[in-house]
Amino acid sequence: MVDPQRAAITLAINGAEQHLEVDTRATLLDVLRERLDLIGAKKGCDHGQCGSCTVLIDGRRAKSCLALAVALDGSSITTVEGLADGDELHPLQAAFIDHDAFQCGYCTPGQICSAIGMLEEARAEGAELTPEAIRERMSGNICRCGAYPNIVAAIAEVAE
Amino acid sequence: MAEVATRAIGAPVRRIEGRAKVTGAARYAVEHDPGEVAYGWIVQAQVARGKITDIDDAEARSQPGVLHVLWHGNAPRLEEVSDAELAVFQEPRVAYRGQIVAAVVADNPEAAREAARLVRVKVHEEPHDVGLRADHPHLYKPDKVNPSFPSDTDKGDVDAALARAEVTIDHTYSTPAYHNNAMEPHATLARWDGDRLTVYDSNQGAAAHRAPLAKAFGLEPEQVRVLAEHVGGGFGSKGTPRPQMIVAAMLARISGRAVKLPVTRQQMFAFTGYRTPTIQRMRLGATGDGRITAIEHRVFEQTSQIREFAEQAATPTRVMYATDNLRTSHRLVRLDVPTPSWMRAPGECPGMYALESAIDELALAVGIDPIELRIRNDADAEPDSGKPFSSRNLVACLREGADRFGWADRDPRQRQRDGRWFIGSGVAASTYPAYQRDAEATARVQPDGSFRVGIAAADIGTGARTALTQIAADTLGVPVERVRVDIGDSALPRAGVAGGSMGTSSWGAAVAKACEALLAEMERGGSEAHADTKAEIEAKKDLARHAFGAQFAEVRVDGETGEIRVSRLLGVFAAGRIVNPVTARSQFIGGMTMGMGMALFEESVMDRRYGDYLNHDLAQYHVPANADVADIEVAWIEEDDPELNRIGTKGIGEIGIVGTAAAIANAVHHATGLRFRALPIHLDGLVGAGT
Amino acid sequence: MKPFAYERADETARAVSTVAGSHGHATFLGGGTNLVDLMKLGVATPERLVDVTRLPHAEITETKYGGLLIGAAVRNSDLAVHPLVRERYPVLSEAILAGASGQIRNMATIGGNLLQRTRCPYFQDVSKACNKRAPGSGCPARHGEHRELAIIGHSEHCVATHPSDMAVALAALGAEVHVHGGQGLWSIPLTDLHRLPGEMPQRDTILAPEDLITHVELPPLPLARNSRYRKVRDRASFAFALVSLAAAVEVDGGNVADCRIAFGGIAHKPWRARKAEETLRGRPATPDAFGAAADAELADARPLRDNGFKLLLARNLFVRVLTDLVDG
Ligand SMILES: Cc1cc2nc3c(=O)[nH]c(=O)nc-3n(C[C@H](O)[C@H](O)[C@H](O)COP(=O)(O)OP(=O)(O)OC[C@H]3O[C@@H](n4cnc5c(N)ncnc54)[C@H](O)[C@@H]3O)c2cc1C
Ligand code: SF4
Ligand code: FES
Ligand code: FES
């Protein structure tokens, strides 16, 4: 008999298909971190309140701590580990380094994934990205180190 | 072609571990992969005071995947530890709500969490007292305040001077409990190999964590290794070991597995430290032309039943302004609350909020510009001790800041408006001690001619790894790319914690000394050297060593809704030599941002009937979000102070938060004419201020 | 989290019957941003989740009357940026964008947003009493920490507020909620969906557990082109409302021809300000008249010990938003 509290799912993670059997309770964040050793997505609160677990689900930014893995069967996921092209950093990753847009680095993968999703949202809407607009759109990503001005500068550079 | 001289110190070197952090390659505590692993989960007390009579773990243990449930009835005995917070599961007493009373270990995190929910703790509850008051009958004078300052000081005759003063200020200021809330929650991965224990822990000092851990388990320090290569912030709360480290080691021993034990964000509000609430009575006496004749600063704070932590909130007043009559005191009360601890600039941060608010009130009372008043009362020797300063550039910071901020154009009249917004600006001074602690380091030349330096330092986001690399590179006379600095491992040479803003001064001096020794050693054909800075620190002159700064804030207050926006912040600091202008700027900005949180958003709210901090998550405890931070400017005064340490640094990690809250509160007063003497300043009291 | 079974529903009637037959043990799952949160906290302990995000209610279509029919599985962010919403109901777009964060709005569904539970701190902490979570255990908020809670329509048993921003705009716009329930298909005005706490604070809405929201329908409302949402909170972004206001107004010859107004953050439900609307119709569109209308609406408010500021805040916000709307 199949255990109703487990499920077989398929996720395309950073381009690679993964077939997994998961506990229905497992969040995407825990599956990434504990099953797949993709520790780039961080756990700052586990309740949707900090943004450090942000990944892209089917191209859209989302908080992986509130997403049940079982509900994502068939989705494609991009984590911070999937952004660089070999040795070539994603422009946002490079801009984060250039602008010193982090200190402890714990919020950073979430900030970068969130920024990628945000830039795409703004592009689709045809919205102008003033610094103020970037700040508002990035407010779901808390940085306790207070790197905000540098984060905004890094994103603004890439947005241009 | 001419050789380019390498001068890494002072250059905007990018963070060494930047690439690892932006690609997700950097591993933090429980992100290490030790092979087969089990997961721990903590169970907390649900009463503020009492005695556990029984723990029913049957249902928890029956969950699939659960390995063990640990509590005082079945936990291994620990050796005596000096910090009672670490004596986990040793007795049935509950000293505060949220204290660790049991822990579960299971095959997977889902089972561990669920089993923890099912552990039934039976407690004989006793009446509790969690309310701090300035007239609490059990207030007492601690022997010393953190880390080892006298509780009280008394110079001259404060009462007489106050009685004689032409102008007096007498107000009580209060700050709430604040939680550090580093982004990475405390977490430990523990693994036993026979009688050797390895822990990957999120902390501010691997070496400082090893000793108590070894002691608790009756091991020699050499049997224990603590690793913390990357740490997601700490702000003081990871400076001393937290109980989850002990619990993780216990669970690992009992289960025979490597165990990951993450603390949840909610749990962090109980047992990982916080800033005590304070009540501070400030009395100032002055002449009509604004010369301070007396200062009294009395502080009331809380600590827990099991450990004394006395925040040194009145100590900055011993440093700031010249006066012949100066009295400071600290009183504590032991309550049934979690133990407070270090949070960014313990002492200076809340203390300077009170002092710099009172100074602003004095400036208004005597009708003198608040910058001018501060300049008039600048001290040429440390007011309390009389010791000369190694350097003091408070006045230069105030002047430079006034220029940059456009202070000369400020209309001192209150309630200036821009439509429905009130606009105001405020200033406050800032200070933080320039400490240095002894440390050891090794330096080695590699067969390929590159260098490797080792020291058990920590980089919790401060940029320490990068600064130490710059220091090593300059000392060795090579580009930074040729040097690798290993930190975050208790197996490396001994070093103090990342705290007290003394990392670069303490570790940097040891690294420089080791590199110097290596150069000498290489002349003799050797390839490795070791250094210890103990002797040179003991030989230092008896001087007052402090960094100073000036903080400026411009706020806008909606006169209808009371909403407050900080439209500008400027900080100018004199903090010795700046090793890396990029990472230093980030540190200052980070401190000021946290200061904004302290002023306007942050507050750990306690429902006294329950006795724990109620708003225990990041949706309820508001730290600044991106949209709150409009414009922060940072500048510094170059200081060349030979009396500090080999590097000439004073430390930059904490001074950024000191004074920010007072500058903002002073600006709110200038904007609205309303003085708030209790933080945080929420809009509640400002709604309709314009009507 | 209590173990649970998961199923992805692909047929509405089956989803409803699964929950109906579960004796309260099964529940619908939308984006999970509230439900999963509460399950981790032990506040919600379902044994079966029926995922309704793949049901065929994920589209936004224009109705033949010129309104909008919004599928319950539409994601909050998609609704917020929909061109017809921006053009015809800007208040709705603004309200959604004022809520949560970009990531959460990408996950959250319309149905889930309406049925998200209160953010009262006691409700979210199973170690404490709370009538809404554990009926009969008491309401510690009433005499405890209630700065962010209700000032109107509360009861001795509960003083919680409804946290949704979107629902406030929908209340102002006169939205209709379509339900596929155990009893078949029916619909009700959104303003009747949520309840006041009364003696049964455990019930947020009039829905039975198996009642599935399939759509939200917006009536054609030309005056909504001139509409706005303003939210006051403790920080500039990513925080729940202390008080918010959704308003649409049409002015004719200096007088208020018609208006739609609702408050958020002050009650157990989005608070449609019908008294204020009635007071205003036909009256001069002036700040004084707006103030009088707000006073009429808030006359029944009974602030608690620590949230009296919300009363003046609500009034001032009302006057400000309406004044801005008539000034254009
Ligand atoms: C940190 C944080 C901040 C937030 N800030 C805000 C804010 O400022 N403003 C705001 O408005 N919201 C805010 N939210 C709440 C957020 O908007 C809601 O969590 C979200 O809208 C819920 O939608 P969901 O689809 O994820 O619902 P779910 O979590 O999936 O479900 C919520 C409830 O609705 C039920 N349900 C779902 N769909 C249906 C349906 N079709 N029919 C019947 N029942 C259904 C579920 O059974 C469950 O009981 C915040 C959330 C978080 C985590
Ligand atoms: S206000 Fe309502 S939700 Fe909050 S504690 Fe009281 S009963 Fe529970
Ligand atoms: S860990 Fe997901 S939002 Fe904080
Ligand atoms: S860099 Fe530390 S939290 Fe953002």
Side-chain angles (χ1 to χ4, degrees), chain A residues 29 41-54 62-66 106 140-142, chain B residues 183 265 618, chain C residues 40 101 103-104 238:
Chain A
L29 179 61
K42 304 298 180 198
K43 188 185 281 190
C45 73
D46 212 16
H47 287 271
Q49 304 165 352
C50 75
S52 61
C53 65
T54 303
K63 293 185 171 169
S64 60
C65 67
L66 291 182
Y106 201 74
N141 291 83
I142 300 295
Chain B
M183 214 66 229
R265 178 62 57 182
L618 293 175
Chain C
K40 287 184 182 183
S101 70
Q103 297 97 312
I104 292 172
F238 201 28

Side-chain angles (χ1 to χ4, degrees), chain B residues 336-372:
Chain B
D336 304 307
V337 296
T339 310
S341 180
W342 297 330
M343 178 164 165
R344 206 171 201 165
E348 277 72 20
C349 178
M352 286 291 275
Y353 159 66
L355 176 63
E356 291 300 292
S357 296
I359 292 285
D360 199 62
E361 303 212 44
L362 177 63
L364 284 161
V366 295
I368 294 174
D369 176 82
I371 292 182
E372 174 54 30

Side-chain angles (χ1 to χ4, degrees), chain B residues 487-544:
Chain B
I487 61 171
D489 181 350
S490 66
L492 294 165
R494 170 190 65 87
V497 293
S501 295
M502 61 181 136
T504 307
S505 304
S506 309
W507 309 326
V511 164
K513 192 169 177 190
C515 290
E516 233 168 57
L518 175 62
L519 291 177
E521 196 54 38
M522 284 164 71
E523 303 237 311
R524 292 192 288 271
S527 63
E528 188 164 348
H530 182 93
D532 186 336
T533 55
K534 203 170 182 118
E536 68 187 47
I537 288 173
E538 278 165 6
K540 278 165 78 165
K541 285 190 207 147
D542 191 16
L543 297 172

Side-chain angles (χ1 to χ4, degrees), chain A residues 119-141:
Chain A
L119 289 174
E120 179 53 31
E121 288 162 15
R123 197 196 54 75
E125 292 166 37
E128 195 199 341
L129 281 180
T130 59
E132 201 182 342
I134 295 175
R135 290 199 289 267
E136 165 56 33
R137 286 171 183 262
M138 289 300 295
S139 280
N141 291 83

Side-chain angles (χ1 to χ4, degrees), chain C residues 112-119 149-150 159-168 193-195 204-205 240-241 244 263-271:
Chain C
N113 185 312
L114 292 177
L115 298 188
Q116 61 174 299
R117 314 229 40 204
T118 184
R119 307 302 291 205
L149 302 184
V159 296
T161 49
H162 193 262
S164 169
D165 291 296
M166 183 184 79
V168 181
L193 175 69
H194 299 95
R195 300 174 62 255
D204 293 355
T205 69
F240 288 90
S244 67
F263 284 107
I266 64 169
H268 197 255
K269 57 186 290 186
W271 192 266

